[in-house]
Short mmCIF file of all heavy atoms in Angstrom, two decimals:
data_model
loop_
_atom_site.label_atom_id
_atom_site.label_comp_id
_atom_site.label_asym_id
_atom_site.label_seq_id
_atom_site.Cartn_x
_atom_site.Cartn_y
_atom_site.Cartn_z
N LYS N 1068 10.94 -1.76 6.03
CA LYS N 1068 11.71 -0.80 6.79
C LYS N 1068 12.40 -1.37 8.05
O LYS N 1068 13.22 -0.72 8.62
CB LYS N 1068 10.76 0.36 7.23
CG LYS N 1068 10.15 1.12 6.11
CD LYS N 1068 9.22 2.19 6.67
CE LYS N 1068 8.57 3.02 5.41
NZ LYS N 1068 7.54 3.98 5.92
N GLU N 1069 12.02 -2.61 8.19
CA GLU N 1069 12.65 -3.30 9.42
C GLU N 1069 13.69 -4.43 9.08
O GLU N 1069 14.11 -5.19 9.88
CB GLU N 1069 11.58 -3.90 10.24
CG GLU N 1069 10.55 -2.88 10.79
CD GLU N 1069 9.47 -3.48 11.62
OE1 GLU N 1069 9.63 -4.64 12.11
OE2 GLU N 1069 8.44 -2.89 11.78
N GLY N 1070 14.09 -4.48 7.81
CA GLY N 1070 15.09 -5.40 7.33
C GLY N 1070 14.44 -6.78 7.07
O GLY N 1070 13.18 -6.89 7.02
N ILE N 1071 15.24 -7.80 6.84
CA ILE N 1071 14.70 -9.14 6.43
C ILE N 1071 14.37 -9.85 7.69
O ILE N 1071 15.03 -10.03 8.68
CB ILE N 1071 15.88 -9.87 5.74
CG1 ILE N 1071 16.32 -9.15 4.44
CG2 ILE N 1071 15.42 -11.32 5.41
CD1 ILE N 1071 17.61 -9.73 3.82
N LEU N 1072 13.10 -10.36 7.65
CA LEU N 1072 12.59 -11.21 8.73
C LEU N 1072 13.38 -12.47 8.83
O LEU N 1072 13.79 -13.06 7.77
CB LEU N 1072 11.12 -11.50 8.57
CG LEU N 1072 10.14 -10.31 8.42
CD1 LEU N 1072 8.74 -10.78 8.13
CD2 LEU N 1072 10.21 -9.47 9.70
N PRO N 1073 13.59 -13.07 10.06
CA PRO N 1073 14.30 -14.36 10.16
C PRO N 1073 13.68 -15.45 9.34
O PRO N 1073 14.33 -16.25 8.70
CB PRO N 1073 14.34 -14.56 11.69
CG PRO N 1073 14.20 -13.23 12.31
CD PRO N 1073 13.36 -12.42 11.40
N GLY N 1074 12.32 -15.52 9.43
CA GLY N 1074 11.61 -16.58 8.68
C GLY N 1074 11.78 -16.44 7.16
O GLY N 1074 11.83 -17.48 6.46
N THR N 1075 11.89 -15.20 6.71
CA THR N 1075 12.11 -14.99 5.26
C THR N 1075 13.47 -15.59 4.87
O THR N 1075 13.60 -16.32 3.84
CB THR N 1075 12.13 -13.44 4.94
OG1 THR N 1075 10.86 -12.95 5.20
CG2 THR N 1075 12.45 -13.26 3.52
N ARG N 1076 14.51 -15.43 5.62
CA ARG N 1076 15.86 -15.91 5.26
C ARG N 1076 15.83 -17.45 5.28
O ARG N 1076 16.41 -18.10 4.46
CB ARG N 1076 16.89 -15.40 6.20
CG ARG N 1076 18.30 -15.63 5.66
CD ARG N 1076 19.36 -14.96 6.61
NE ARG N 1076 19.20 -13.55 6.71
CZ ARG N 1076 19.63 -12.75 5.83
NH1 ARG N 1076 20.28 -13.24 4.69
NH2 ARG N 1076 19.50 -11.44 5.96
N VAL N 1077 15.01 -18.05 6.19
CA VAL N 1077 14.97 -19.53 6.27
C VAL N 1077 14.37 -20.03 5.07
O VAL N 1077 14.87 -21.02 4.46
CB VAL N 1077 14.15 -19.99 7.53
CG1 VAL N 1077 13.87 -21.48 7.50
CG2 VAL N 1077 14.93 -19.62 8.81
N ILE N 1078 13.20 -19.58 4.62
CA ILE N 1078 12.55 -20.15 3.45
C ILE N 1078 13.22 -19.79 2.19
O ILE N 1078 13.16 -20.56 1.29
CB ILE N 1078 11.05 -19.75 3.43
CG1 ILE N 1078 10.81 -18.28 3.32
CG2 ILE N 1078 10.31 -20.37 4.63
CD1 ILE N 1078 9.36 -17.93 3.06
N MET N 1079 13.95 -18.62 2.10
CA MET N 1079 14.68 -18.35 0.98
C MET N 1079 15.88 -19.33 0.71
O MET N 1079 16.00 -19.87 -0.27
CB MET N 1079 15.29 -16.90 1.15
CG MET N 1079 16.32 -16.53 -0.03
SD MET N 1079 17.14 -14.89 0.14
CE MET N 1079 18.18 -15.31 1.55
N ASN N 1080 16.51 -19.62 1.85
CA ASN N 1080 17.60 -20.58 1.76
C ASN N 1080 17.13 -21.96 1.46
O ASN N 1080 17.74 -22.69 0.62
CB ASN N 1080 18.42 -20.56 3.01
CG ASN N 1080 19.27 -19.24 3.20
OD1 ASN N 1080 19.65 -18.62 2.21
ND2 ASN N 1080 19.50 -18.88 4.51
N ALA N 1081 15.93 -22.32 2.07
CA ALA N 1081 15.43 -23.71 1.88
C ALA N 1081 15.02 -23.92 0.40
O ALA N 1081 15.46 -24.90 -0.28
CB ALA N 1081 14.26 -23.94 2.75
N TYR N 1082 14.29 -22.94 -0.14
CA TYR N 1082 13.83 -23.04 -1.51
C TYR N 1082 15.03 -23.01 -2.48
O TYR N 1082 15.16 -23.83 -3.40
CB TYR N 1082 12.89 -21.89 -1.84
CG TYR N 1082 12.02 -22.07 -3.07
CD1 TYR N 1082 10.69 -22.24 -2.98
CD2 TYR N 1082 12.61 -22.11 -4.39
CE1 TYR N 1082 9.87 -22.36 -4.12
CE2 TYR N 1082 11.81 -22.24 -5.51
CZ TYR N 1082 10.39 -22.39 -5.35
OH TYR N 1082 9.65 -22.59 -6.44
N ALA N 1083 15.90 -22.00 -2.33
CA ALA N 1083 16.99 -21.83 -3.22
C ALA N 1083 17.94 -23.05 -3.18
O ALA N 1083 18.41 -23.48 -4.28
CB ALA N 1083 17.78 -20.52 -2.89
N HIS N 1084 18.29 -23.55 -1.97
CA HIS N 1084 19.20 -24.63 -1.96
C HIS N 1084 18.63 -25.89 -2.69
O HIS N 1084 19.36 -26.49 -3.43
CB HIS N 1084 19.56 -24.94 -0.50
CG HIS N 1084 20.42 -26.17 -0.32
ND1 HIS N 1084 21.78 -26.11 -0.60
CD2 HIS N 1084 20.16 -27.46 0.11
CE1 HIS N 1084 22.31 -27.34 -0.38
NE2 HIS N 1084 21.38 -28.18 0.03
N ALA N 1085 17.34 -26.21 -2.41
CA ALA N 1085 16.70 -27.35 -3.03
C ALA N 1085 16.58 -27.24 -4.55
O ALA N 1085 16.77 -28.16 -5.32
CB ALA N 1085 15.36 -27.60 -2.39
N ALA N 1086 16.30 -25.99 -5.02
CA ALA N 1086 16.10 -25.73 -6.41
C ALA N 1086 17.32 -25.29 -7.17
O ALA N 1086 17.31 -25.00 -8.43
CB ALA N 1086 14.99 -24.62 -6.55
N ALA N 1087 18.44 -25.18 -6.50
CA ALA N 1087 19.69 -24.75 -7.14
C ALA N 1087 19.62 -23.39 -7.77
O ALA N 1087 20.10 -23.18 -8.89
CB ALA N 1087 20.10 -25.83 -8.13
N TYR N 1088 18.96 -22.47 -7.05
CA TYR N 1088 19.01 -21.04 -7.50
C TYR N 1088 19.93 -20.28 -6.52
O TYR N 1088 20.10 -20.64 -5.33
CB TYR N 1088 17.60 -20.43 -7.29
CG TYR N 1088 16.56 -20.74 -8.42
CD1 TYR N 1088 15.39 -21.53 -7.97
CD2 TYR N 1088 16.70 -20.39 -9.65
CE1 TYR N 1088 14.50 -21.84 -8.84
CE2 TYR N 1088 15.74 -20.72 -10.61
CZ TYR N 1088 14.58 -21.56 -10.20
OH TYR N 1088 13.64 -21.80 -11.10
N PRO N 1089 20.54 -19.32 -7.00
CA PRO N 1089 21.33 -18.45 -6.10
C PRO N 1089 20.38 -17.67 -5.17
O PRO N 1089 19.22 -17.52 -5.48
CB PRO N 1089 22.04 -17.45 -7.09
CG PRO N 1089 21.94 -18.00 -8.44
CD PRO N 1089 20.72 -18.82 -8.40
N THR N 1090 20.92 -17.22 -3.96
CA THR N 1090 20.09 -16.41 -3.11
C THR N 1090 20.59 -14.98 -3.12
O THR N 1090 21.77 -14.73 -3.30
CB THR N 1090 20.18 -16.95 -1.65
OG1 THR N 1090 21.63 -16.90 -1.26
CG2 THR N 1090 19.65 -18.37 -1.57
N VAL N 1091 19.67 -14.05 -2.98
CA VAL N 1091 19.99 -12.60 -2.98
C VAL N 1091 19.15 -11.95 -1.82
O VAL N 1091 17.96 -12.08 -1.83
CB VAL N 1091 19.63 -11.92 -4.33
CG1 VAL N 1091 20.05 -10.44 -4.26
CG2 VAL N 1091 20.40 -12.65 -5.51
N ASP N 1092 19.84 -11.23 -1.01
CA ASP N 1092 19.20 -10.65 0.13
C ASP N 1092 18.39 -9.45 -0.34
O ASP N 1092 17.24 -9.20 0.06
CB ASP N 1092 20.22 -10.16 1.18
CG ASP N 1092 20.60 -11.24 2.13
OD1 ASP N 1092 20.07 -12.42 1.95
OD2 ASP N 1092 21.50 -11.02 3.04
N VAL N 1093 18.95 -8.59 -1.15
CA VAL N 1093 18.35 -7.34 -1.61
C VAL N 1093 18.50 -7.20 -3.08
O VAL N 1093 19.54 -7.25 -3.59
CB VAL N 1093 18.90 -6.19 -0.83
CG1 VAL N 1093 18.20 -4.87 -1.34
CG2 VAL N 1093 18.80 -6.31 0.62
N PHE N 1094 17.39 -6.91 -3.77
CA PHE N 1094 17.48 -6.65 -5.18
C PHE N 1094 17.93 -5.21 -5.37
O PHE N 1094 17.30 -4.19 -4.86
CB PHE N 1094 16.02 -6.73 -5.78
CG PHE N 1094 16.00 -6.46 -7.27
CD1 PHE N 1094 16.14 -7.53 -8.18
CD2 PHE N 1094 15.69 -5.28 -7.81
CE1 PHE N 1094 16.21 -7.25 -9.52
CE2 PHE N 1094 15.71 -4.94 -9.17
CZ PHE N 1094 15.91 -6.05 -10.09
N ASP N 1095 19.05 -5.03 -6.09
CA ASP N 1095 19.67 -3.71 -6.16
C ASP N 1095 20.07 -3.37 -7.60
O ASP N 1095 20.85 -2.38 -7.79
CB ASP N 1095 20.88 -3.63 -5.31
CG ASP N 1095 22.02 -4.64 -5.62
OD1 ASP N 1095 21.81 -5.41 -6.62
OD2 ASP N 1095 23.03 -4.67 -4.95
N ALA N 1096 19.51 -4.04 -8.54
CA ALA N 1096 19.75 -3.71 -9.97
C ALA N 1096 19.21 -2.29 -10.33
O ALA N 1096 19.80 -1.60 -11.09
CB ALA N 1096 19.14 -4.76 -10.88
N TYR N 1097 18.07 -1.95 -9.74
CA TYR N 1097 17.46 -0.62 -9.82
C TYR N 1097 16.54 -0.45 -8.67
O TYR N 1097 16.09 -1.41 -8.14
CB TYR N 1097 16.81 -0.46 -11.22
CG TYR N 1097 15.94 -1.60 -11.65
CD1 TYR N 1097 14.62 -1.69 -11.18
CD2 TYR N 1097 16.41 -2.63 -12.50
CE1 TYR N 1097 13.77 -2.69 -11.62
CE2 TYR N 1097 15.59 -3.59 -12.87
CZ TYR N 1097 14.33 -3.67 -12.46
OH TYR N 1097 13.53 -4.69 -12.85
N PRO N 1098 16.17 0.80 -8.33
CA PRO N 1098 15.31 1.08 -7.17
C PRO N 1098 13.92 0.58 -7.39
O PRO N 1098 13.37 0.68 -8.52
CB PRO N 1098 15.36 2.61 -7.06
CG PRO N 1098 16.56 3.07 -7.80
CD PRO N 1098 16.69 2.04 -8.97
N ILE N 1099 13.33 -0.02 -6.37
CA ILE N 1099 11.98 -0.57 -6.38
C ILE N 1099 11.27 -0.06 -5.17
O ILE N 1099 11.78 -0.11 -4.07
CB ILE N 1099 11.95 -2.09 -6.51
CG1 ILE N 1099 12.36 -2.63 -7.84
CG2 ILE N 1099 10.46 -2.68 -6.22
CD1 ILE N 1099 12.44 -4.08 -7.94
N THR N 1100 10.05 0.42 -5.46
CA THR N 1100 9.15 0.80 -4.36
C THR N 1100 7.81 0.14 -4.50
O THR N 1100 7.39 -0.16 -5.60
CB THR N 1100 9.06 2.34 -4.26
OG1 THR N 1100 8.50 2.79 -5.58
CG2 THR N 1100 10.33 3.09 -3.92
N GLY N 1101 7.03 -0.08 -3.40
CA GLY N 1101 5.75 -0.55 -3.51
C GLY N 1101 5.60 -2.03 -3.92
O GLY N 1101 4.56 -2.36 -4.42
N ASP N 1102 6.58 -2.81 -3.62
CA ASP N 1102 6.41 -4.23 -4.06
C ASP N 1102 5.65 -5.05 -2.99
O ASP N 1102 5.65 -4.78 -1.87
CB ASP N 1102 7.83 -4.87 -4.26
CG ASP N 1102 8.70 -4.89 -3.02
OD1 ASP N 1102 9.01 -3.89 -2.52
OD2 ASP N 1102 8.96 -5.99 -2.52
N ALA N 1103 4.92 -6.09 -3.50
CA ALA N 1103 4.10 -6.90 -2.68
C ALA N 1103 4.91 -7.62 -1.56
O ALA N 1103 4.45 -7.75 -0.44
CB ALA N 1103 3.42 -7.94 -3.56
N GLU N 1104 6.07 -8.14 -1.91
CA GLU N 1104 6.88 -8.86 -0.94
C GLU N 1104 7.26 -7.98 0.23
O GLU N 1104 7.27 -8.39 1.42
CB GLU N 1104 8.09 -9.52 -1.58
CG GLU N 1104 7.74 -10.50 -2.63
CD GLU N 1104 7.53 -10.01 -4.08
OE1 GLU N 1104 7.26 -8.76 -4.13
OE2 GLU N 1104 7.60 -10.69 -5.07
#
């Protein structure tokens, strides 16, 4: 409910850049509620 934490964006970019995965801020293919992350 408070948006993406700054630390989340840092580790997302670090992991994705090193592993050559795309980054996605918000999963929007379909609605999700109650996820662990």
Side-chain angles (χ1 to χ4, degrees):
K1068 296 177 180 178
E1069 299 179 19
I1071 300 172
L1072 301 174
T1075 297
R1076 194 177 297 282
V1077 170
I1078 60 173
M1079 175 185 70
N1080 289 334
Y1082 196 114
H1084 178 75
Y1088 286 114
T1090 59
V1091 181
D1092 279 358
V1093 179
F1094 182 87
D1095 60 1
Y1097 44 85
I1099 288 179
T1100 55
D1102 62 295
E1104 297 87 340

